[in-house]
Amino acid sequence: MKFLVKLTSPVAVTIEELVRENWQLGKKTVHSLRMQKAFQTPEGIALDWNTPLEVGQAFQIKFEEEGSSYFPSPKIPVQPFYEDDHFMIVGKPAGIKTHPNEVTETQTLMNGVFHYLDGKGHGYGEHVHRLDEGTSGLVLIAKHPIAKNLLDKMLEKKQIVRTYEAIVEGSVKNNQGTIKTAIASDRHHPNRRRVSQTGQTAITHYQVVGRNPQITKLHILLETGRTHQIRVHMAHIGHPIVGDTLYGARAITAQHYALQAFRIQFRHPITGELVNVEIPRT
C-alpha cells in the first residue's frame, strides 16, 4: 500500500520524531516501517529518518499491508458515508454486531466491510470503536495500521466526538442535563448493566431536540464509553429508550430500540482537516 502525505507539523521534524512523538505509533509499527524503508520521496527514493522534513513537504509512505482476519461476507451490505486512503465511515444497521466474537461468526458489520475492502484490493480493515447490536449508526474503520494507531490514540484522548439521537419514553423535564452515575454488570442478568456505586464512572450529556407528551427526542454526547451507557442512564432517570425492553421500555411493533449514532466529528489525523459526517435527519 502507498499514499502521499504532506507534513502538517508547524515546524520541521525528522521521520523519527514524526512517528514516535507526533503520531506516537507503537514500537512494532515503527520497526516495520523502518525495515521496509516505507518513507520515500514522491518518486520512490527512501528518505533518511534523521533528516528533517520541511513544513508542507510531500512524501509517500509505502509498505506491505498487514492483513485482517475477518471472513468476507457479501450478505452484509456496506454503506460508506466517507472514505479516503486512511479510513472509512460506514453505517451499521440495527440488529447486527459490529464485529465477530468467534471465528465462526460471519454476519457482522466487519465481515461486510472486509468484503467491500477485499473487492478494492485491500487486505486490512479494523474498527476503531463499536456499537451495540441493537444500535444503528456510524462506525469508523481504519484502512491501514498507521491510521489505526492514530485513531485509537484520538479515541483514547476523547478527540473523536460521536453524537447519538435517542427517542425516549415520556417527557424529559429539563431541556438539557448531565447524568453521572457509575455502571456495573448486573449479576442477575448476564446481558444487562445497571447503575451501581461500585461500577465504572459513566457520564452522559443530553439535550432535548423535540418532544410531545408521550416521547422526547434527545441528542446525546458520551464523556465515557461504557457498555449500554445511554440505555442504562436513560432508564435510570425514568425515560428508557423507546422499544428497549431490556431496560424497562414498553414493547412496540418496531424490531429495534430507537437509538442511532448519527454524527461523528474529528480532525483528520494525517491531513489535519475537519471530518464531519452525519446521517441526514428525518
Side-chain angles (χ1 to χ4, degrees), residues 76-90:
I76 305 298
V78 172
Q79 182 182 15
F81 285 83
Y82 176 96
E83 183 175 6
D84 64 15
D85 289 338
H86 311 290
F87 56 83
M88 58 192 296
I89 299 172
V90 304

Side-chain angles (χ1 to χ4, degrees), residues 159-213:
Q159 294 171 344
I160 298 175
V161 179
R162 291 172 288 156
T163 307
Y164 294 76
E165 183 171 279
I167 300 175
V168 302
E169 292 185 350
S171 180
V172 176
K173 181 179 179 181
N174 298 320
N175 285 330
Q176 60 184 27
T178 296
I179 306 166
K180 186 176 181 180
T181 53
I183 293 175
S185 297
D186 187 338
R187 67 178 184 272
H188 302 296
H189 197 303
N191 297 323
R192 279 174 52 108
R193 299 294 187 275
R194 64 186 180 89
V195 166
S196 170
Q197 292 182 347
T198 61
Q200 295 177 298
T201 299
I203 303 172
T204 301
H205 307 283
Y206 68 85
Q207 181 175 8
V208 174
V209 294
R211 63 166 79 242
N212 67 37

Side-chain angles (χ1 to χ4, degrees), residues 188-256:
H188 302 296
H189 197 303
N191 297 323
R192 279 174 52 108
R193 299 294 187 275
R194 64 186 180 89
V195 166
S196 170
Q197 292 182 347
T198 61
Q200 295 177 298
T201 299
I203 303 172
T204 301
H205 307 283
Y206 68 85
Q207 181 175 8
V208 174
V209 294
R211 63 166 79 242
N212 67 37
Q214 287 76 44
I215 60 173
T216 306
K217 182 185 289 186
L218 305 172
H219 283 178
I220 295 172
L221 291 173
L222 298 181
E223 195 168 316
T224 54
R226 308 306 177 201
T227 300
H228 296 187
Q229 179 172 321
I230 296 174
R231 301 166 67 188
V232 173
H233 274 176
M234 290 302 106
H236 177 66
I237 65 170
H239 298 284
I241 295 170
V242 169
D244 192 4
T245 54
L246 182 64
Y247 288 100
R250 294 184 298 273
I252 57 174
T253 55
Q255 284 186 305
H256 305 290

Side-chain angles (χ1 to χ4, degrees), residues 12-152:
V13 295
T14 65
I15 296 172
E16 188 78 35
E17 292 169 333
L18 178 68
V19 298
R20 292 189 182 276
E21 297 175 22
N22 294 30
W23 289 357
Q24 298 182 359
L25 300 182
K27 291 181 180 180
K28 181 181 176 182
T29 302
V30 171
H31 177 73
S32 177
L33 293 171
R34 188 195 299 277
M35 292 299 99
Q36 294 184 58
K37 298 182 178 179
F39 286 79
Q40 305 173 359
T41 67
E43 297 74 30
I45 300 170
L47 291 167
D48 180 77
W49 277 49
N50 294 309
T51 299
L53 299 166
E54 297 302 320
V55 177
Q57 180 178 340
F59 56 94
Q60 74 173 7
I61 303 177
K62 182 179 180 181
F63 56 95
E64 289 296 320
E65 202 169 44
E66 177 183 324
S68 296
S69 59
Y70 303 107
F71 181 84
S73 173
K75 295 181 180 180
I76 305 298
V78 172
Q79 182 182 15
F81 285 83
Y82 176 96
E83 183 175 6
D84 64 15
D85 289 338
H86 311 290
F87 56 83
M88 58 192 296
I89 299 172
V90 304
K92 184 188 87 68
I96 68 170
K97 294 181 179 180
T98 300
H99 59 86
N101 294 321
E102 306 289 342
V103 294
T104 54
E105 291 183 88
T106 60
Q107 304 304 302
T108 73
L109 177 70
M110 286 309 303
N111 297 114
V113 166
F114 199 58
H115 177 261
Y116 174 89
L117 292 173
D118 187 54
K120 291 190 166 191
H122 295 296
Y124 182 95
E126 295 293 340
H127 59 93
V128 177
H129 59 96
R130 60 179 292 277
L131 295 176
D132 292 340
E133 184 173 343
T135 303
S136 66
L138 299 172
V139 178
L140 178 58
I141 312 291
K143 293 174 64 176
H144 57 76
I146 296 174
K148 182 67 163 65
N149 269 256
L150 293 171
L151 292 166
D152 280 347

